[in-house]
Amino acid sequence: MLRIEGLCASYGERLVLENVSMEVGKNEIVSLIGANGAGKSTVLKTIMGLLKPTSGSILLDGDGIGGRPVNSIVRSGISLCPEGRRVFGNMTIRENLEMGAYVRKGSISSDIEHIIELFPVLGERINQPARVLSGGEQQMLAIGRALMAKPRLLLLDEPSMGLAPIMVDKIFDVIKSIWMQGMSILLVEQNAAMALDTCQRAYVIETGKIALQGSADELRANKMVSSVFLGRGE
Ligand code: ATP
């Protein structure tokens, strides 16, 4: 579904992604793991059109989308749930969800119902401002908002960040159920253990380059991944 080949991207003069190649298949969960500042969010920003690639290609079902404006990329079927959630605190939960559907036409009430089925707590508080939600609930809202664009490919940037372990488990359960409903997912995570437990395949990025790739089992068995990302000493 998504094929990235030889992708390079920079902030000003500084090259941050160097020759990144990755794939996400239809109805696959693929994780991208790496240390702070390795370039994980930049991969997602570049796919989403928030940062223009300096070279390389990004193909969605064979169509080149690299460098297109964000609204065109959302319309083509990709949606981003950003790092740090970025919900609109003064808007209600319903209004936040409606914002996620801004690029498309037609009735959205049945889609809001679907999000409420996934996250019942959002339904209970649908007319409250988003700022009163806990961090975990805001993460649910951010995922719900991204789903309102009706993507084929969902990009999730650090959904576990700053959440209590019980909430992390809940968020990952929902990620799995969204996947079981047919979604393709690219998951960026620092929580490598959760990411590898959830995905089929994963890539490891180090200072802007893909250092390793393989099935979740292969990466779990890798010495470097095990000691650096899973905290298992020699
Ligand atoms: P984290 O887990 O901390 O978010 P990351 O792997 O997602 O890390 P990126 O946010 O992609 O890393 O950042 C990659 C590099 O690009 C880092 O060195 C970062 O400081 C730099 N960077 C990120 N955003 C910008 C920006 N807007 N302008 C300049 N440099 C940036």
Side-chain angles (χ1 to χ4, degrees):
M1 172 172 270
L2 179 77
R3 171 170 295 171
I4 299 173
E5 277 169 7
L7 186 68
C8 298
S10 316
Y11 293 111
E13 297 283 287
R14 184 159 164 237
L15 188 64
V16 177
L17 299 182
E18 223 179 314
N19 208 19
V20 168
S21 297
M22 313 176 48
E23 280 181 30
V24 181
K26 196 166 161 43
N27 198 207
E28 196 180 26
I29 305 188
V30 173
S31 295
L32 177 61
I33 57 181
N36 264 334
K40 304 180 297 299
S41 298
T42 304
V43 170
L44 299 190
K45 282 182 198 160
T46 313
I47 296 170
M48 212 56 230
L50 294 162
L51 184 67
K52 289 214 182 311
T54 49
S55 60
S57 61
I58 305 172
L59 302 170
L60 183 69
D61 288 331
D63 282 340
I65 58 163
R68 281 200 204 157
V70 178
N71 60 354
S72 151
I73 290 175
V74 177
R75 277 197 192 93
S76 71
I78 305 183
S79 186
L80 169 68
C81 177
E83 183 174 357
R85 320 186 235 288
R86 311 267 180 98
V87 299
F88 303 108
N90 289 331
M91 293 168 70
T92 66
I93 289 161
R94 180 184 297 282
E95 287 164 344
N96 270 272
L97 292 174
E98 287 167 355
M99 288 297 282
Y102 78 104
V103 293
R104 63 189 183 85
K105 298 191 178 82
S107 166
I108 55 171
S109 46
S110 63
D111 301 318
I112 292 183
E113 289 307 314
H114 176 63
I115 303 300
I116 290 172
E117 275 166 34
L118 274 174
F119 301 112
V121 68
L122 299 182
E124 289 156 23
R125 307 174 73 177
I126 194 86
N127 292 316
Q128 293 183 15
R131 65 170 181 275
V132 303
L133 297 175
S134 71
E137 290 161 351
Q138 289 193 12
Q139 184 63 61
M140 293 175 187
L141 178 56
I143 295 174
R145 184 182 57 189
L147 291 175
M148 287 296 292
K150 292 213 152 191
R152 288 179 284 153
L153 173 66
L154 179 64
L155 310 180
L156 293 171
D157 197 348
E158 305 260 7
S160 76
M161 192 164 85
L163 302 184
I166 184 158
M167 198 44 94
V168 173
D169 289 345
K170 272 194 190 163
I171 295 287
F172 274 86
D173 283 347
V174 172
I175 294 170
K176 280 183 217 156
S177 61
I178 295 168
W179 166 68
M180 282 193 278
Q181 290 169 17
M183 186 71 69
S184 310
I185 298 175
L186 177 55
L187 170 67
V188 155
E189 258 302 336
Q190 277 195 43
N191 186 337
M194 281 307 263
L196 291 176
D197 282 349
T198 308
C199 69
Q200 286 96 47
R201 289 189 307 111
Y203 295 84
V204 177
I205 186 167
E206 273 179 12
T207 55
K209 294 180 191 153
I210 299 295
L212 276 175
Q213 59 178 295
S215 69
D217 287 340
E218 283 164 350
L219 289 189
R220 253 192 301 263
N222 179 281
K223 261 192 167 176
M224 186 278 273
V225 172
S226 168
S227 68
V228 176
F229 295 110
L230 301 176
R232 298 186 193 134
E234 292 289 301

